[in-house]
Each structure stands twice: as C-alpha cells, then as structure tokens.
Amino acid sequence: MGDVPLAAITARDVDRFKTERRMRIQAITVNKELSTLRAAMNTALRWGHIPENPFAGVKMLRVSERTAEFLTPEDLARLLSCILDDWLRDVVLFAVATGMRQGEILSLRWRRIDLKSRIVHIENSTTFRTKTGRRRSVPLNALATGVLQGRRNDEIHPDEIVFTYNGRRILQDSLTHAFKRHVRKAGLGEEIRFRDRGSGHGRDSRHVKLPSAYPPGGHQDDCRLVREKGLDYYDKNVVNRISLLTKSLKSLYETIHKYRRCNRGHRSPRV
C-alpha cells in the first residue's frame, strides 16, 4: 500500500485510523471503511501476503438505532400533488403499495408478474441481485395492480422492463434525483428517501412506504434522466465498492504516514 508493506500495518495503526476517521465522518461510514479494509486484508492473508489480519480484532463503532418512520397518507398526498410525470407517479405509488426496493422496482420485468394471482416474483438475474440473494414473492394489492394495469398494453413483451421513461430503462440515480426534487417541492423532510438495496429499518430516514394503509410487500424482516445507456445496478454497485476500498486505503495510508513521521520527530501529531 504505497511504500508501506501490508505486513507492516499493525492493530495500533488500525485504531489510530478509526479514531481519526471518526473525527471527520459519520460512525456508520467509518464502519463501512473498516469492513471494506478487513475484507481486503483477509484476501491478502489468504494469498499469503501477510501473516495476520490487523483488522481482525477491530471493534465497530456503536451506531445508535432509531425507529424507522414512514410517509403518512397526508405526506403522500402532498408529494403526489407535486408529481406531474406519469412515470415517477407510477413508481412512487408502486413502491408505496408493495414496499419493494428501488432496484427491485426498476429491474422488474413483465414475465415476473402474475396479475391473475396478484403476485410479483423477485428473482436474481444477470443484471440484478436481491439483497438476500434469494427469490421471494410479493403480493399485489388493488393499488399496485391498478398501477400495473395502467402500464400494460397488448404489445407488451414478457422480457420488457415494467417501469420505463420514453421506452428506456430508468436509472437509479435519475429516479433518486427526481424523487428528492419533488420531496423538496412538497416541503417534506430531507430524511425522506427511496428504500434501496442497503437501507434498513434502523436508519434515521422515512421510506416510501405506508404500512398502516397498505399491506407490506414481502420483506423479510431537477428531474434529470440519462438517455444514453449506463451501468446497470449490479455493475454500478461493484464500481462503488471498489471506489470505497480505494478511498479507505488512501485514508489508512495517510494516517500511518502521519504518525510515523511524528514518531521520527518525537512529537505528537495534531488531530
């Protein structure tokens, strides 16, 4: 890692790194960096590059959990009154009715839907992977069924994506930006966001879901649309993980160098 041999990284370096990073970023982000670096070091250990993993015994920072909140019917009405685009309205209503995650909705194809039985099957594919890696089925209530029937026509092919914009697949970043813009327009809180692959019930956020008004959807526990073809969700997730690993390694490297320079000068570093 730079000019620092992996085998020279100690548990003390890791503790210093954790302390310094906590002074600059949120605890949950520090934990993500620690997990990423620990996984990378496990690979180095398996390949025989290091005798032991200095991240093996590191303790994660405590992250306070808060009860998840959801959109109220009044919140939803305010939000929908600001949405004029049919595609965005349909996606929001379907998310409310089913509780499905953003990636699940945008990857949904017609062949996974059984309108007669009112069931949608969420499965892994070459471009999408569920959070748990397992197939599951989500019941469709009247609202969800109505949204789907409104988008269906006689020329639909089973392999076509359900939710599209001008016949093109909707990218997750495009949906996120469009949704947040309308949330602000409706005067709702910044904590309201779409439920995505990594969001859990313990985060301080409010999701596009109304469990009090509609049955849950089978979970186990500036509107800028990009017209050219982009990375699908799975590939983008891999890119994001590599980016996180790169940034984490750079931060760890800088921390180690700062303390070792200070040790050579026999003075304590400023933090």
Side-chain angles (χ1 to χ4, degrees), residues 63-127:
V63 178
S64 59
E65 293 193 358
R66 301 179 64 176
T67 303
E69 299 180 28
F70 301 92
L71 285 175
T72 65
E74 293 76 19
D75 290 336
L76 179 62
R78 289 170 59 187
L79 179 59
L80 292 176
S81 68
C82 297
I83 300 177
L84 302 180
D85 298 309
D86 291 338
W87 71 268
L88 182 56
R89 177 183 288 266
D90 284 351
V91 170
V92 170
L93 285 174
F94 193 76
V96 167
T98 63
M100 289 170 58
R101 291 181 172 85
Q102 187 182 65
E104 295 170 341
I105 295 173
L106 298 185
S107 300
L108 184 62
R109 299 180 185 272
W110 286 107
R111 59 187 168 86
R112 303 296 187 190
I113 300 171
D114 185 345
L115 284 176
K116 184 177 181 180
S117 301
R118 292 195 171 190
I119 292 289
V120 57
H121 302 290
I122 303 174
E123 301 178 353
N124 297 318
S125 68
T126 56
T127 59

Side-chain angles (χ1 to χ4, degrees), residues 198-215:
S199 62
H201 287 286
R203 306 286 179 83
D204 183 18
S205 60
R206 290 198 286 167
H207 303 296
V208 184
K209 187 177 177 185
L210 280 172
S212 60
Y214 306 102

